[in-house]
Amino acid sequence: MRLADDEKAMLDGAQGEAVAAAMDLLVRYGEVLGAERLVDTDNVCGANLFGSRHSLVCGSPTPDAAFSEHSLDAPTVLTIPPVKAQSYQLIGPMDTKHWQVQGLPQAEHDEIVASERYNAEHGIHLLNTCTPYQVGNVPLKGEHCAWMESSAVVYVNSVLGARTNVEGRESTGAAMLTGKIPYWGLHLEENRRGTHLVEVTTPVEANLDWGLLGYWIGEQVPEEAIPVVDGIAATPDLVRLKHFGAAAASSGGVEMYHVPGITAEARTVEEALAGRAPVQRLRYGPAERREAHAHLNATARDDAVDLVMIGCPHATLGQIRDVVRLLEGRRVHADTELWVFTPRALRHVAEQNGYARALEEAGALLMSDTCPAIGQFLPKGTRVIATDSAKQVHYLPAIMNVQGWFGTLTECVDAAVTGTWRGERP
Ligand code: F3S
């Protein structure tokens, strides 16, 4: 790999041992990937660097030891300096307010709080969400980023036209300290052209429609594919594209797509394909929609619902307000929980707006910073969940051994109020 002078100096230790270890990691990583050089980045979104349930069980004695071992792959404990790049903490394992609802022991709570302090002291912004683009980190078209979290990566690549691969704990940790990331994959213009053309012949309008379409596409195309979605009549919004990308990135490995005329880098199908023929043409009609719906409800058998989960990816204020309105004059069933997840910053606004109180008065709970799939927690005894998120219903049955219903927000809130799934069935 060709290194610039400032990169060589970092590698040689001019900025200390931790930065040298970070640069060494990036060089090794980049060489494996075939990257010819690094690129500057001032926008890094990484994992909670120490206080994840995973790193806790690894038993690192101090935050510096955890960072050295898990983020820098360093053989010794290094003193970690403040981060160089603008750096953001993604979703983590704990809601700092409702951690007891999660069933976390006090000791684990204390360690996670300490780790957040450590991250803040090192200059990492505590956004604590899988949707940084909803709360102030909105990269520009062409901006080189280093982000983890597949649903966020597919959103910023496609909708905003920023450039990132799906990075890992180690590469984002090293990027935070150096402001560099290997220049490969979706950082390169030539790798951002559409490859597979999806002709949509059935209406795709509501959030549920977008989740189904994304899930179906993710199942059909190979990992490196960039689908081009043609035939969309109604312009989607942030929430719909958030559901779409998250679904496509969970049933498959989609990291970028084009919806010509809507997403950032293609006005037309021809532009999305860069004038080339698609590798494959796919058709998405009513039968394909039914197929995706059946797959997403494949684990559901029992009608009694224990948990309704809303907010995957983390909910916007508009989505929270919609839940509040659907609950007006109603109460969550005594045997069911309704949990709504949002970024930490939006919970604060939701509290100011009275949404959090309205939810609590109806027997629901507004949570932030985490989600059941990442934090691996559910109400005790949960056997059946319902959600409006294709991503959450893809993961929770697999991770937590529960049944999952997938439906509209209205169907989900009805399930929370009645304790029973009465929504559409495959
Ligand atoms: Fe976010 Fe958790 Fe869903 S990380 S995208 S709420 S699975």
Side-chain angles (χ1 to χ4, degrees), residues 43-324:
N43 191 332
V44 184
C45 286
N48 184 332
L49 293 176
F50 173 60
S52 72
R53 301 197 82 173
H54 173 71
S55 67
L56 285 168
V57 295
C58 287
S60 299
T62 64
D64 274 356
F67 195 104
S68 303
E69 181 183 351
H70 299 299
S71 294
L72 297 181
D73 189 30
T76 54
V77 177
L78 304 169
T79 302
I80 307 301
V83 293
K84 178 179 289 175
Q86 295 288 350
S87 302
Y88 304 81
Q89 182 175 286
L90 287 167
I91 191 165
M94 181 179 80
D95 179 341
T96 43
K97 192 165 180 182
H98 296 301
W99 58 277
Q100 281 162 321
V101 174
Q102 293 180 245
L104 287 186
Q106 180 76 46
E108 198 164 329
H109 162 270
D110 294 348
E111 274 199 83
I112 293 171
V113 168
S115 79
E116 282 206 0
R117 240 187 349 261
Y118 172 84
N119 290 347
E121 283 163 10
H122 284 73
I124 299 167
H125 310 306
L126 302 177
L127 283 188
N128 293 43
T129 178
C130 51
T131 58
Y133 54 87
Q134 295 191 139
V135 283
N137 185 354
V138 188
L140 289 181
K141 187 174 177 183
E143 184 175 340
H144 292 284
C145 304
W147 284 30
M148 284 176 71
E149 172 42 38
S150 61
S151 72
V153 164
V154 68
Y155 188 92
V156 299
N157 271 323
S158 313
V159 181
L160 305 180
R163 299 185 174 203
T164 179
N165 298 300
V166 177
E167 296 294 347
R169 165 183 291 274
E170 299 79 5
S171 56
T172 51
M176 287 178 184
L177 295 186
T178 59
K180 306 280 179 178
I181 198 72
Y183 185 62
W184 74 287
L186 292 173
H187 289 285
L188 278 70
E189 181 78 30
E190 62 264 31
N191 294 335
R192 299 175 66 84
R193 300 171 185 144
T195 56
H196 291 62
L197 182 61
V198 182
E199 291 162 339
V200 175
T201 61
T202 193
V204 175
E205 293 169 0
N207 297 351
L208 177 110
D209 299 331
W210 282 96
L212 290 172
L213 176 60
Y215 199 77
W216 185 82
I217 290 176
E219 283 187 313
Q220 305 303 315
V221 302
E223 284 249 326
E224 65 286 357
I226 299 189
V228 178
V229 183
D230 190 28
I232 298 297
T235 304
D237 59 8
L238 179 153
V239 174
R240 289 173 184 150
L241 293 180
K242 185 175 66 165
H243 275 294
F244 172 73
S250 47
S251 60
V254 176
E255 295 180 19
M256 181 170 178
Y257 61 86
H258 299 285
V259 185
I262 291 167
T263 52
E265 294 185 27
R267 286 165 296 185
T268 62
V269 169
E270 292 66 37
E271 203 171 280
L273 293 166
R276 294 179 303 194
V279 175
Q280 190 184 0
R281 282 176 187 271
L282 301 152
R283 185 185 157 280
Y284 179 82
E288 288 73 23
R289 186 186 191 280
R290 278 195 301 278
E291 185 188 318
H293 190 264
H295 282 192
L296 283 165
N297 283 286
T299 62
R301 295 180 305 278
D302 300 333
D303 291 349
V305 173
D306 303 301
L307 169 70
V308 174
M309 188 279 180
I310 304 297
C312 167
H314 274 172
T316 60
L317 286 171
Q319 289 176 285
I320 298 170
R321 186 211 59 183
D322 290 346
V323 177
V324 169

Side-chain angles (χ1 to χ4, degrees), residues 304-307 335 378-385 400-402:
V305 173
D306 303 301
L307 169 70
D335 298 331
L378 291 171
K380 210 157 176 236
T382 296
R383 293 176 53 250
V384 182
I385 65 127
M400 304 295 282
N401 195 25
V402 292

Side-chain angles (χ1 to χ4, degrees), residues 206-209 212 289 293-294 296-297 300 302-310 319 322-323 325-327 330-333 336-338 384-390 393 404-426:
N207 297 351
L208 177 110
D209 299 331
L212 290 172
R289 186 186 191 280
H293 190 264
L296 283 165
N297 283 286
D302 300 333
D303 291 349
V305 173
D306 303 301
L307 169 70
V308 174
M309 188 279 180
I310 304 297
Q319 289 176 285
D322 290 346
V323 177
R325 288 191 176 170
L326 285 166
L327 280 172
R330 305 161 91 193
R331 243 199 105 66
V332 173
H333 192 272
T336 308
E337 303 287 345
L338 170 54
V384 182
I385 65 127
T387 178
D388 67 342
S389 164
V393 84
W405 291 104
F406 170 71
T408 65
L409 183 64
T410 304
E411 289 172 337
C412 288
V413 174
D414 283 345
V417 169
T418 61
T420 308
W421 185 257
R422 295 177 179 167
E424 190 184 338
R425 290 159 190 271

Side-chain angles (χ1 to χ4, degrees), residues 1-5 7-8 27 31 35-39 183:
M1 183 187 284
R2 264 186 351 262
L3 292 185
D5 289 347
E7 294 161 355
K8 278 189 207 141
V27 169
E31 283 178 345
E36 290 178 2
R37 65 178 178 92
L38 301 173
V39 66
Y183 185 62

